[in-house]
Amino acid sequence: MPEKVLQGVVGEDAVIDRMALTFIFNRLRERGYTVYGTVNEKGTGLFRPLGDLSDLSLRCTGGTLPPKHIWYKPFETLFAYDRVRNHFKADVPPVKQAVFGIRPCDVHALLALDEVFLGGGYPDPYYWARRVELVLVVFNCVEAGDTCFCSSMGTGPGLGHDYDLLFTELLRKDGASGRERYLIEIGSSAGGELVQGLKGEEAKQEDHQEKRRRLTGAGQGNRFTLETDRLPRLMQEGYKHPYWEEITNKCFACANCTSVCPTCYCADIFDETDFNLRETRRKRRWSWCFLVEFAAVHGGNYREKHIDRLRQFMQHKLNFSIGQHGFFHCVGCGRCIVWCPANIDIAQTGRVIRGDA
């Protein structure tokens, strides 16, 4: 096969083997990045800092928890106030982080959170500090997860934008060695710099055709589907549909669905003062609209009923987010389905409300 040495130009592509992944991983580490990737722990995929690339699991699974905590911390101090010195301290330096093996649906979830935290007139400096130098090494999904419906939501199984490096595993292996082969595509100057000098093979038209075939197959493998045409309007019209009562009777209100959702961003902000009354810290932690205390305000609770909290979660994903941001805040990852102990299915709910089931 004709050898190719990547120049690092945006839009350039090549075919490489798995050994090249180590080249990219080492280059990220040399440049001071903390590299996250999916680690299989007791059957669940968790995004952890990788000490070695051999820890990385590229298995596509709906049981994987989202990488949201990398750019939006579950718990953090926003600033501290020294009461004695009358001094505020807020240290938010940019951090160099990379995600190796992130999937297209999670990139779409990241873009949704970008709009929330950076899209308005008051960008969140804490989110920005973790986002500005974030490197995304994306792997297209060539197999469908058990509960994925990304092809319905337009968020997968392939990605066409907002990546630094994009990999697609090719079905054909190297005949002589049997090694895995990947089509690599460069999407940014940051990604190009990481692969400059990397040796591979010239990508042929048949390699891109194989990529399209694999992505089409993965999309057709989605067992869950949801028609999104007119969905927000139909969800609005179905606000009092009897199906809400039916699934509320099954729901445990455990908030598993919201806690594993890659686009949920609700938070609780509170102050803590130390025992000597010298310093007060303002902190932020994740919270969820599904919790009854979330809507508790002076004088009452505006979403006290169980059915209202369940409906709020799904309506926000499939309806309200369109009015707020112009796109669905459901990316079809299926995690809320996987982790629901009552087997409540957001895609099925959408189908019932719109009259398709």
Side-chain angles (χ1 to χ4, degrees):
M1 299 293 288
E3 184 178 272
K4 177 175 182 177
V5 179
L6 284 162
Q7 303 301 305
V9 179
V10 175
E12 195 178 10
D13 58 21
V15 174
I16 60 172
D17 62 23
R18 192 178 176 92
M19 291 298 293
L21 305 185
T22 303
F23 176 95
I24 298 167
F25 175 79
N26 289 340
R27 189 160 276 187
L28 281 165
R29 296 288 296 272
E30 290 166 4
R31 282 153 177 72
Y33 284 91
T34 300
V35 184
Y36 288 81
T38 313
V39 176
N40 194 335
E41 292 187 7
K42 298 181 180 179
T44 299
L46 303 175
F47 281 89
R48 303 286 200 202
L50 297 173
D52 187 274
L53 196 60
S54 62
D55 296 333
L56 178 69
S57 171
L58 290 174
R59 179 172 170 264
C60 189
T61 167
T64 302
L65 293 174
K68 181 174 65 176
H69 64 283
I70 298 170
W71 41 84
Y72 178 38
K73 293 297 180 186
F75 190 92
E76 63 183 327
T77 298
L78 303 180
F79 61 82
Y81 172 62
D82 188 321
R83 298 162 62 91
V84 177
R85 296 167 55 202
N86 191 26
H87 174 68
F88 280 95
K89 182 174 63 180
D91 191 18
V92 285
V95 293
K96 299 180 73 169
Q97 301 182 126
V99 190
F100 209 106
I102 187 172
R103 300 293 177 172
C105 62
D106 282 330
V107 175
H108 279 275
L110 171 63
L111 298 177
L113 292 184
D114 283 354
E115 179 67 20
V116 171
F117 289 107
L118 305 177
Y122 301 95
D124 186 300
Y126 313 96
Y127 181 90
W128 179 87
R130 290 182 287 267
R131 179 66 172 99
V132 64
E133 295 195 56
L134 183 67
V135 171
L136 301 177
V137 181
V138 183
F139 278 66
N140 282 330
C141 289
V142 293
E143 294 178 1
D146 292 340
T147 56
C148 298
F149 54 103
C150 58
S151 55
S152 293
M153 306 310 294
T155 59
L159 189 68
H161 53 81
D162 288 286
Y163 57 84
D164 294 296
L165 294 173
L166 179 66
F167 287 85
T168 307
E169 184 180 357
L170 300 177
L171 192 59
R172 295 176 297 111
K173 299 182 185 301
D174 186 308
S177 65
R179 292 179 298 185
E180 297 171 3
R181 300 169 74 249
Y182 298 87
L183 176 66
I184 180 174
E185 298 168 82
I186 301 174
S188 73
S189 56
E193 196 273 336
L194 290 171
V195 296
Q196 195 172 37
L198 176 64
K199 293 180 180 178
E201 302 168 8
E202 291 278 359
K204 297 179 178 179
Q205 186 177 3
E206 62 194 54
D207 296 314
H208 286 275
Q209 289 173 344
E210 184 180 345
K211 169 189 170 181
R212 288 192 289 272
R213 280 197 300 272
R214 298 215 75 185
L215 296 183
T216 299
Q220 291 172 343
N222 280 183
R223 293 191 297 110
F224 290 64
T225 59
L226 176 60
E227 174 58 62
T228 57
D229 181 43
R230 299 179 293 121
L231 180 60
R233 183 170 67 81
L234 294 172
M235 290 292 290
Q236 189 67 36
E237 292 173 357
Y239 199 78
K240 296 185 178 179
H241 195 288
Y243 192 67
W244 294 116
E245 195 73 44
E246 181 180 334
I247 56 175
T248 299
N249 290 335
K250 295 170 56 181
C251 176
F252 296 107
C254 63
N256 264 10
C257 49
T258 46
S259 63
V260 300
C261 176
T263 65
C264 277
Y265 55 86
C266 288
D268 189 16
I269 294 178
F270 57 98
D271 292 342
E272 280 186 357
T273 302
D274 59 17
F275 281 116
N276 59 19
L277 303 181
R278 180 186 177 92
E279 185 176 85
T280 297
R281 293 175 179 270
R282 176 151 298 176
K283 299 186 175 182
R284 176 168 65 185
R285 65 186 170 203
W286 290 359
S287 186
W288 299 281
C289 60
F290 221 127
L291 302 178
V292 66
E293 60 268 27
F294 185 80
V297 295
H298 176 70
N301 189 312
Y302 58 85
R303 206 176 293 131
E304 189 171 17
K305 292 182 179 178
H306 184 176
I307 189 173
D308 290 338
R309 303 197 301 279
L310 173 60
R311 188 163 44 197
Q312 163 66 21
F313 166 62
M314 294 197 184
Q315 285 279 3
H316 187 254
K317 300 301 168 188
L318 302 178
N319 176 15
F320 302 153
S321 56
I322 293 292
Q324 283 181 298
H325 304 293
F327 45 83
F328 292 111
H329 265 218
C330 176
V331 295
C333 67
R335 292 184 176 102
C336 60
I337 302 171
V338 171
W339 294 100
C340 178
N343 295 322
I344 294 173
D345 171 355
I346 189 172
Q348 171 71 4
T349 302
R351 289 194 299 272
V352 171
I353 299 298
R354 61 173 293 128
D356 293 343

